[in-house]
Amino acid sequence: MTATPPDSSAAASQIEREERLTDEVFAAGVSAEAEPVVAPERPDVAGPLVSAFIRSKKFALDPFQRASAISIEAGNSVLVAAPTGAGKTVVAEFAIFAAMQDLRDKVFYTAPMKALSNQKYAELVAEYGADQVGLLTGDANINSTARIVVMTTEVLRNMLYAGSSLLNDLAFVVMDEVHYLADRFRGAVWEEVIIHLPRTVRLIALSATVSNAEEFGDWLQAVRGNTEVIVSEARPVPLDQHVLVRGKLVDMFETEFRGDTRTVNPEFIRMAHGSFSGGSRGRGRRDRDRDRHQRRSLPGNGQLDRAGLVELLGENELLPAIFFVFSRNGCDQAVRQVLRTGVRLTTGDERREIRAIVNDRTRTLRDEDLAVLDFWRWRDGLERGVAAHHAGLLPAFKEVVEELFRRKLVKVVFATETLALGINMPARTVVLEKLEKFNGEARVPITPGEYTQLTGRAGRRGIDVEGHAVIHWRDELNAEAVASLASKRTYPLRSSFRPTYNMAVNLIDQFGRARTRTILESSFAQFQADRAVIGLARQVQDQRASLAGYAESMACHLGDFAEYSRIRRELTDIERKSNEHGSKALQRRRQERLSELRTQMRDHPCHRCPDREQHARWAERWWKLKRSTDSLTRQISERTGAVARVFDRVTDVLKDREYLVKDENGALALSESGRILKRIYGERDLLVAEALRRGLWRELDAPQLAAMACALVYEPRRDEGNLDERDLPGGAFRDALRETEELWSKLDDTERAHQLPGSEPLSTGLSRAMFEWVRGRDLDQVLREADMAAGDFVRWSKQTIDLLDQLANVGDPEVRTVARRALNGVRRGIVAYSSV
């Protein structure tokens, strides 16, 4: 007989519900797999549009570029996943080319960052002319009615929610760097755009190489219709990987392939383990050829310093190079260290060209601001061919570094990993000084995906026949682990989608609650959860079959052995706990329960079975597998409809706060406050809407409102606290801040009561500096007040501007007027400077 342990009726009914859900999920998964979604077919022969596009180019298209263009001409959307520098933007260029053949069709080109948008705008203006190209970012609104408009993804999301007329005649949307969808702060915007774009608009999704491109493509096919996934694993420029060990560049892998894998260079293993003898036997040709360049004195630890490595790379014709350092301060220190040695990588003509470009790009900055920015030392480094690139730099300075590097005038850049996020700065060589980075909480090893992204900068198409990656060896590294990291190409794309208050009111206003729930269940996040659930359901089915077998093996002809084994298990558990300290009352209750269980065990008919211990062994296996099966079943229950459940909690908060009310038909609709929330975007959307509704900021002047907006958007460093109240702006600001913080606390309690994660408290660390900036203080005084790099101050200033711009549009008349004055006060000097 099949044995089952006794359960209370409530628990039993819950188990029945979960088992029924598991069966339904498994059945759905089987049926889904029986009819897989396949990409639409396309002709293999180039049509007239593709042929005309190919004739317009001075180079032949790669197979993946050609296949993508043919698919687009056939009427499909495409997901193109290819390595960095492979030429994915050619696919976008074809979509633009195709749209321009029609007199009305428009193209939106979206990018994850304003810097990328600015760069792409400049390229398209050069190709199509300024009258045909527009730019929409938080900082710029140029020719928005053009047929080709470059924008950040957030701008397009906001246009979709607002039903903008600019969407008329939209034929294509290019989503560059679509793998940014995994970004935990901003990635959800990509999914919102993909879900809400009209089905008539075709999507050109360009991604770095991800290991689950087919899964992402299946989701696009489900929500967008005809979508073809085109994956290219081939780097256009092969990558040679080296390790710098004791002042010598050593190939990480043997040059020849053995089967499907690359063999680690034995000489690298020997050197890494400290057994290098100095001979050349068995070494690669490149290793032997480099020996004559590598006879140099080294520091006491046997490591080559940065200046020595720059010299070594130059001797081996491996410049220009990007050194990834993972620390802003480390980048700046590296530049100073190299320059102190007298390194000069440029010719006289190059230095004159660099100075002319730098002076032209910075001519609008005041001399006193240039002094604060250490301009002359920075320009001297550029003229010598060395620069840093990180978020702390003034955006104008970063753009100059990028331009000079692309022109091959700057030869060495020390950069943080942000440089790997799509900026067009390919190098001949990429150097990784460390294989770990600080993630905000601890130092962690970089992942294979991050390694691939960073080294993807190595090798300039059309210039280099091979790119080079160099790992700076350190004694704490493991040679086999380093080789494994360098040989893997796993970079899975994981959704970061979650419903927000702004998203909820916009969708409910457009579609109603029921349809919104259905829409959110079509997100990539739920798609991935459902796929995982199918695998879990299959595992549960298999384990249930094993449970039935175990139950049969432990069956006893004298009675219910499952019940008997439960008594034994409880008895063992309590005996184990009896050794733990506890109150006398607790110990007494344990002894009483032990006595009861021992009596039950002795009286149970199975206690007298001659095969009792054999049955018990099977029972132990049954219980262990039962725990695992119950855990998997709970996971299935939790994952099924997970996104919609979060939406329900968000909706409940909005109902509590009366942003959503019932209309005359009993359906949820937006209140007047809900309509204000529709137009507030950002992490603190509900807090901003509530503060406006309560009039908390009506008494603030422009500098004070800017300081308040800054406190709402600013995210401090981990070791940075809020300012003491005495250091904050005085007057109405402190009262408004106190009331806003109290409001935040109440909202946080409400969110947690509805099982939502809540939010971080307001951060006033930059509020005083922002207040002084709007009052007209000089840059050097403000940066000292903020204890912050110029680039960081500009970044937070622009986020403050974004929020003030929203307040100027949705606040009551008093707040709108002050917000506009505050906005103009922030947008001055280095904050207002833009190269576009």
Side-chain angles (χ1 to χ4, degrees):
M1 71 178 186
T2 302
T4 56
D7 285 297
S8 69
S9 59
S13 62
Q14 175 64 21
I15 288 173
E16 287 175 8
R17 286 195 297 272
E18 290 178 344
E19 289 181 346
R20 189 163 58 250
L21 173 63
T22 302
D23 292 337
E24 291 169 358
V25 168
F26 182 70
V30 170
S31 64
E33 289 187 347
E35 297 182 13
V37 177
V38 295
E41 293 187 4
R42 58 171 167 80
D44 290 327
V45 179
L49 265 183
V50 175
S51 299
F53 180 71
I54 291 172
R55 287 195 298 271
S56 73
K57 293 296 178 185
K58 298 177 181 178
F59 54 85
L61 267 59
D62 288 345
F64 85 89
Q65 295 168 334
R66 178 185 171 89
S68 301
I70 290 173
S71 186
I72 293 168
E73 186 171 6
N76 302 321
S77 295
V78 294
L79 167 64
V80 182
T84 300
K88 295 185 291 292
T89 53
V90 170
V91 180
E93 290 170 13
F94 174 74
I96 295 170
F97 177 84
M100 298 302 280
Q101 306 310 304
D102 189 283
L103 293 177
R104 297 171 60 89
D105 283 356
K106 293 164 60 175
V107 181
F108 287 173
Y109 194 112
T110 72
M113 295 181 293
K114 292 173 185 176
L116 286 176
S117 298
N118 294 342
Q119 189 178 88
K120 182 52 63 176
Y121 169 75
E123 292 172 3
L124 289 171
V125 165
E127 176 78 15
Y128 290 98
D131 61 321
Q132 296 287 350
V133 185
L135 177 68
L136 289 175
T137 66
D139 305 327
N141 185 336
I142 302 172
N143 198 16
S144 61
T145 59
R147 294 184 60 194
I148 308 166
V149 184
V150 183
M151 62 187 67
T152 55
T153 319
E154 282 85 355
V155 168
L156 178 53
R157 186 271 311 272
N158 299 350
M159 288 170 59
L160 287 167
Y161 282 161
S164 171
S165 61
L166 295 177
L167 296 166
N168 297 340
D169 300 318
L170 183 61
F172 295 98
V173 166
V174 177
M175 300 194 80
D176 203 355
E177 308 285 335
V178 76
H179 52 274
Y180 222 88
L181 178 145
D183 182 79
R184 69 191 181 100
F185 295 111
R186 298 171 55 217
V189 177
W190 271 252
E191 290 190 48
E192 291 179 74
V193 168
I194 292 168
I195 291 170
H196 298 306
L197 270 177
R199 291 286 289 257
T200 55
V201 178
R202 282 185 280 163
L203 188 67
I204 313 300
L206 308 179
S207 170
T209 304
V210 293
S211 51
N212 60 335
E214 287 75 13
E215 178 188 42
F216 185 47
D218 287 348
W219 174 67
L220 290 176
Q221 172 76 17
V223 297
R224 303 291 316 154
N226 294 350
T227 302
E228 184 168 5
V229 181
I230 297 171
V231 178
S232 174
E233 298 282 358
R235 281 180 52 101
V237 180
L239 180 68
D240 280 355
Q241 304 189 73
H242 320 283
V243 186
L244 180 71
V245 188
R246 294 174 179 81
K248 296 181 180 296
L249 282 177
V250 184
D251 292 338
M252 189 182 302
F253 299 102
E254 291 188 336
T255 53
E256 67 272 10
F257 283 87
R258 296 185 179 178
D260 293 330
T261 60
R262 301 191 72 176
T263 303
V264 180
N265 183 0
E267 188 60 29
F268 160 49
I269 299 293
R270 284 195 292 273
M271 290 183 71
H273 291 167
S275 60
F276 177 57
S277 62
S280 61
R281 189 174 145 197
R283 302 177 65 218
R285 175 184 56 79
R286 281 192 300 269
D287 287 339
R288 292 194 298 271
D289 289 347
R290 287 191 191 107
D291 268 357
R292 71 179 187 274
H293 295 299
Q294 299 181 15
R295 309 299 183 192
R296 61 186 76 238
S297 61
L298 301 173
N301 61 4
Q303 296 286 2
L304 199 62
D305 64 16
R306 289 183 175 120
L309 180 52
V310 168
E311 183 184 352
L312 176 62
L313 295 177
E315 290 170 351
N316 285 276
E317 298 182 351
L318 296 179
L319 296 178
I322 297 172
F323 286 63
F324 283 109
V325 180
F326 299 134
S327 156
R328 299 179 189 183
N329 189 44
C331 292
D332 294 333
Q333 288 180 348
V335 171
R336 288 194 291 269
Q337 180 189 67
V338 170
L339 294 179
R340 275 197 302 268
T341 66
V343 163
R344 189 179 297 279
L345 305 173
T346 53
T347 65
D349 288 341
E350 288 174 331
R351 288 192 288 278
R352 284 187 287 275
E353 186 177 356
I354 289 169
R355 175 164 295 210
I357 292 170
V358 171
N359 290 345
D360 178 64
R361 300 295 184 271
T362 59
R363 67 185 183 280
T364 60
L365 292 174
R366 302 187 309 166
D367 285 347
E368 52 266 42
D369 287 347
L370 292 177
V372 174
L373 298 169
D374 205 9
F375 168 80
W376 288 277
R377 182 186 296 181
W378 172 72
R379 188 179 66 181
D380 177 61
L382 293 176
E383 291 179 7
R384 291 164 64 180
V386 182
H389 188 288
H390 55 72
L393 277 180
L394 189 69
F397 284 16
K398 281 198 296 184
E399 291 167 9
V400 169
V401 172
E402 292 159 13
E403 180 179 354
L404 295 178
F405 195 81
R406 285 195 296 270
R407 292 191 181 200
K408 296 180 282 186
L409 295 171
V410 164
K411 320 292 184 181
V412 172
V413 170
F414 293 93
T416 55
E417 63 182 315
T418 54
L419 184 59
L421 293 176
I423 297 290
N424 182 25
M425 272 182 68
R428 178 165 294 174
T429 302
V430 163
V431 179
L432 299 182
E433 293 198 344
K434 293 184 179 179
L435 296 181
E436 62 177 18
K437 64 175 186 176
F438 186 71
N439 67 357
E441 297 178 359
R443 299 207 69 83
V444 296
I446 64 172
T447 66
E450 288 168 333
Y451 181 90
T452 301
Q453 189 86 348
L454 295 168
T455 57
R457 291 279 152 216
R460 299 163 300 174
R461 188 169 187 168
I463 301 173
D464 300 320
V465 295
E466 60 191 14
H468 299 267
V470 176
I471 293 175
H472 204 141
W473 181 258
R474 298 175 187 278
D475 290 339
E476 65 268 20
L477 295 176
N478 176 278
E480 289 79 5
V482 169
S484 175
L485 174 74
S487 61
K488 289 180 180 175
R489 290 293 176 267
T490 54
Y491 188 76
L493 190 60
R494 296 283 175 249
S495 172
S496 61
F497 184 83
R498 61 180 176 83
T500 65
Y501 298 112
N502 172 272
M503 184 193 304
V505 293
N506 270 287
L507 294 181
I508 289 173
D509 192 42
Q510 271 189 287
F511 305 112
R513 181 175 184 174
R515 189 174 168 206
T516 294
R517 242 178 152 270
T518 303
I519 289 170
L520 294 179
E521 286 179 336
S522 69
S523 67
F524 188 43
Q526 191 59 57
F527 185 84
Q528 289 190 307
D530 289 343
R531 286 206 161 187
V533 159
I534 292 171
L536 292 175
R538 182 180 290 108
Q539 192 175 345
V540 168
Q541 290 282 351
D542 293 342
Q543 291 186 187
R544 283 186 188 158
S546 299
L547 281 171
Y550 292 166
E552 186 175 343
S553 297
M554 74 175 176
C556 177
H557 66 288
L558 295 178
D560 186 346
F561 201 89
E563 181 186 40
Y564 177 71
S565 69
R566 182 194 60 77
I567 295 170
R568 284 178 49 145
R569 287 175 64 83
E570 187 179 352
L571 185 63
T572 302
D573 288 344
I574 295 178
E575 286 175 341
R576 188 181 300 116
K577 289 177 182 177
S578 295
N579 297 324
E580 301 173 0
H581 294 293
S583 66
K584 290 183 178 180
L586 178 60
Q587 293 287 7
R588 186 174 62 254
R589 286 196 299 272
R590 283 174 177 169
Q591 291 303 319
E592 289 171 356
R593 183 57 178 160
L594 281 173
S595 179
E596 291 173 5
L597 290 170
R598 285 167 182 152
T599 300
Q600 289 178 21
M601 185 178 70
R602 285 194 302 269
D603 292 345
H604 198 285
C606 291
H607 191 64
R608 296 184 294 278
C609 178
D611 298 323
R612 182 183 67 198
E613 294 310 310
Q614 182 179 349
H615 294 328
R617 284 192 292 273
W618 284 108
E620 189 60 31
R621 295 178 187 176
W622 188 92
W623 280 106
K624 186 176 180 180
L625 189 60
K626 177 71 164 59
R627 280 199 306 271
S628 170
T629 304
D630 289 346
S631 175
L632 292 173
T633 305
R634 283 193 298 273
Q635 289 182 52
I636 290 171
S637 178
E638 290 166 1
R639 294 188 187 191
T640 304
V643 174
R645 275 201 302 277
V646 174
F647 167 72
D648 288 340
R649 294 166 189 162
V650 166
T651 302
D652 288 342
V653 171
L654 292 171
K655 288 192 296 183
D656 283 355
R657 294 280 163 172
E658 297 182 342
Y659 287 85
L660 294 174
V661 294
K662 288 189 177 180
D663 62 16
E664 62 274 11
N665 300 316
L668 278 184
L670 272 59
S671 65
E672 283 304 310
S673 298
R675 300 204 171 277
I676 291 175
L677 180 56
K678 269 187 70 174
R679 300 166 66 191
I680 299 172
Y681 301 94
E683 290 291 312
R684 299 191 186 274
D685 47 9
L686 184 58
L687 178 60
V688 171
E690 279 281 88
L692 289 175
R693 181 164 73 165
R694 294 165 184 250
L696 301 187
W697 304 334
R698 283 179 186 155
E699 303 302 318
L700 300 181
D701 61 19
Q704 291 170 339
L705 187 58
M708 180 65 71
C710 183
L712 289 161
V713 300
Y714 180 55
E715 296 172 11
R717 296 185 295 266
R718 193 178 64 145
D719 57 348
E720 182 182 67
N722 282 346
L723 292 178
D724 187 279
E725 184 172 346
R726 292 169 299 181
D727 296 324
L728 290 169
F733 177 83
R734 295 183 189 177
D735 292 335
L737 177 66
R738 198 175 302 113
E739 291 175 330
T740 305
E741 288 177 330
E742 289 173 3
L743 175 59
W744 166 81
S745 180
K746 292 175 182 176
L747 283 177
D748 192 64
D749 290 343
T750 300
E751 289 175 322
R752 295 183 190 280
H754 285 89
Q755 298 180 331
L756 291 169
S759 60
E760 293 296 316
L762 275 68
S763 300
T764 59
L766 190 56
S767 292
R768 181 79 201 190
M770 190 62 64
F771 174 81
E772 298 294 351
W773 177 250
V774 177
R775 291 180 70 193
R777 289 280 291 273
D778 289 339
L779 177 63
D780 61 334
Q781 296 172 305
V782 170
L783 293 183
R784 277 202 306 272
E785 178 78 52
D787 188 23
M788 183 175 287
D792 288 324
F793 180 72
V794 169
R795 179 161 56 93
W796 293 118
S797 295
K798 290 188 174 181
Q799 293 203 32
T800 301
I801 286 171
D802 285 344
L803 179 52
L804 289 171
D805 190 44
Q806 293 177 48
L807 298 181
N809 289 319
V810 303
D812 55 33
E814 299 98 322
V815 171
R816 290 186 188 193
T817 301
V818 176
R820 291 190 187 98
R821 287 203 295 267
L823 194 153
N824 291 331
V826 179
R827 191 186 283 142
R828 68 178 182 87
I830 63 169
V831 178
Y833 178 85
S834 174
S835 63
V836 177

